[in-house]
Amino acid sequence: MGLQVGIRKDGFGSTPDGVPVDVYTFTNGRVTISMLTWGATIQRIETPDRNGRTENISLGFGNLPDYAAHSPYFGATIGRFGNRIAKGQFTLDGQSYQVPVNDGDNALHGGPAGFDKVVWSAEPVETSSTVGVVFRYVSPDGEMGFPGELTSTVTYTLDLQDSLRIDYHATVTGKPTVVNLTNHTYFNLAGEGSGSVEGHVLELNAAQYTPVDAGLIPTGELAPVAGTPFDFSTPTPIGARIRDAHPQLLFGSGYDHNFVLGEPGDDGLRFAARFWEPENGRQLTVHTTEPGAQFYSGNFLDGTFAGIGTKTYRQGDAFAFETQHFPDSPNQPAFPSTTLNPGETYTSTTTYTFSTQ
């Protein structure tokens, strides 16, 4: 029997001010993904292991109040600016802007009320071989301190080859702005709530990374990974060197760093990384048009809340791999630009492909 795509919509509660939130569940007959209109958030990703046993491999919650109260960006679409901006400040066309800080002295993932905390409009999309949801959000001029009215469309589609494609599209009117959209799914290929991911094997296509200061802001240097705990050019367990006395690991309490990805192929996509869980065989392969990716080893999960499977999440119980332009790019002229001007179009594509070996 061949695979068959399908999608359904259900209610998922309402925000405190009465805005209804929906959950869309779509499948190709083997992989099933659930997404919320709250934050255009991936709630669940259910995939089979090498023996055909299906489990949810994405951290999340079973209700909206937990997302609002506890979520460290579980599965969310991040904007306007993924990752950190130093002191929440940047200058554009001679004008200074201030984003509210929410990560020590810095702004993280668009500030305290970023795209992860708004309700997006949603429309299902379905063909004979793909299924998914188009999310849309219009951010008014000045929201979280960012200039210009930004219209963002993010399309999540699952195909028959078990690949989830994320297409980002944004335009701005009125003023130039800065844009760096990404997705912040926390993965555990052994199953959500099953414990540490330090045994997952990672291959990461990056010869350089961007070192950070104690506040996790890039210094501006592009440093070689060779000879450091950041070298995953050959497949290596995540935990193999995570406790090394390397100053960068001490700053991040583990891995929380941007990697400079290799060159794109003919299709414009770079091979970014491959994660593999040896016990059950699940594998996640990432390709992207983006020049960088933040590899985060779940260092700040602290066991203070339970997730969708009623298990608590502790340090190292998941990883995130956020394809992106480099952190603090608005303040780093040597980094690839994140400026978007009126009349221009921001586009970005990332694919997460699920398989076993």
Side-chain angles (χ1 to χ4, degrees):
M1 182 176 172
L3 297 177
Q4 189 169 2
V5 301
I7 186 167
R8 73 171 193 270
K9 181 177 86 167
D10 298 291
F12 197 76
S14 300
T15 66
D17 51 356
V19 179
V21 172
D22 295 319
V23 54
Y24 287 84
T25 301
F26 51 96
T27 185
N28 65 5
R30 183 168 48 225
V31 173
T32 300
I33 295 172
S34 296
M35 293 197 67
L36 310 176
T37 53
W38 168 269
T41 292
I42 294 175
Q43 184 206 21
R44 301 176 65 95
I45 302 173
E46 299 173 36
T47 68
D49 66 10
R50 69 163 68 94
N51 296 313
R53 289 189 297 259
T54 295
E55 289 183 88
N56 172 31
I57 60 169
S58 169
L59 273 57
F61 298 103
N63 62 79
L64 190 59
D66 277 352
Y67 275 101
H70 301 305
S71 182
Y73 308 101
F74 284 154
T77 297
I78 300 296
R80 286 187 191 190
F81 197 92
N83 217 298
R84 295 171 175 87
I85 298 176
K87 296 182 170 54
Q89 298 172 351
F90 61 93
T91 301
L92 203 53
D93 282 2
Q95 178 73 39
S96 296
Y97 296 97
Q98 177 70 58
V99 181
V101 299
N102 58 329
D103 182 57
D105 294 333
N106 306 312
L108 176 65
H109 295 329
F115 288 5
D116 61 298
K117 295 180 178 67
V118 300
V119 179
W120 296 59
S121 67
E123 192 72 35
V125 287
E126 186 174 356
T127 71
S128 59
S129 59
T130 63
V131 63
V133 183
V134 180
F135 294 94
R136 186 172 182 270
Y137 178 66
V138 179
S139 173
D141 177 30
E143 185 174 48
M144 285 290 102
F146 290 99
E149 181 182 272
L150 187 77
T151 299
S152 300
T153 303
V154 186
T155 304
Y156 288 78
T157 48
L158 177 67
D159 65 20
L160 296 180
Q161 287 71 49
D162 298 345
S163 183
L164 177 66
R165 180 182 174 109
I166 311 173
D167 289 299
Y168 304 88
H169 180 283
T171 56
V172 68
T173 58
K175 302 171 189 172
T177 194
V178 293
V179 184
N180 194 19
L181 304 180
T182 190
N183 176 272
H184 207 304
T185 296
Y186 286 65
F187 294 98
N188 185 323
L189 301 182
E192 170 273 338
S194 64
S196 174
V197 297
E198 289 189 10
H200 285 43
V201 175
L202 168 60
E203 178 185 0
L204 210 171
N205 180 26
Q208 296 174 305
Y209 75 109
T210 52
V212 294
D213 63 19
L216 300 181
I217 295 295
T219 63
E221 179 189 5
L222 302 184
V225 302
T228 77
F230 295 84
D231 188 352
F232 290 92
S233 56
T234 58
T236 304
I238 289 172
R241 298 162 301 194
I242 201 169
R243 288 172 179 78
D244 286 10
H246 191 287
Q248 287 293 309
L249 292 176
L250 299 178
F251 284 154
S253 300
Y255 297 103
D256 192 3
H257 293 77
N258 173 69
F259 286 77
V260 182
L261 299 176
E263 291 301 307
D266 293 341
D267 61 357
L269 293 172
R270 297 167 164 86
F271 165 62
R274 183 174 293 108
F275 297 83
W276 177 55
E277 207 293 302
E279 295 298 316
N280 66 64
R282 285 193 189 91
Q283 188 166 261
L284 169 65
T285 305
V286 186
H287 289 81
T288 186
T289 57
E290 289 297 291
Q294 188 86 0
F295 171 48
Y296 172 55
S297 52
N299 315 321
F300 301 111
L301 297 172
D302 59 6
T304 55
F305 54 79
I308 193 170
T310 70
K311 299 284 186 66
T312 57
Y313 300 143
R314 301 187 181 277
Q315 186 178 46
D317 278 1
F319 68 86
F321 195 77
E322 307 145 64
T323 56
Q324 62 183 9
H325 273 53
F326 303 168
D328 198 37
S329 288
N331 298 309
Q332 304 272 0
F335 286 179
S337 175
T338 53
T339 300
L340 179 67
N341 293 301
E344 298 175 344
T345 300
Y346 167 97
T347 60
S348 174
T349 297
T350 293
T351 61
Y352 291 116
T353 303
F354 308 101
S355 60
T356 59
Q357 96 172 27

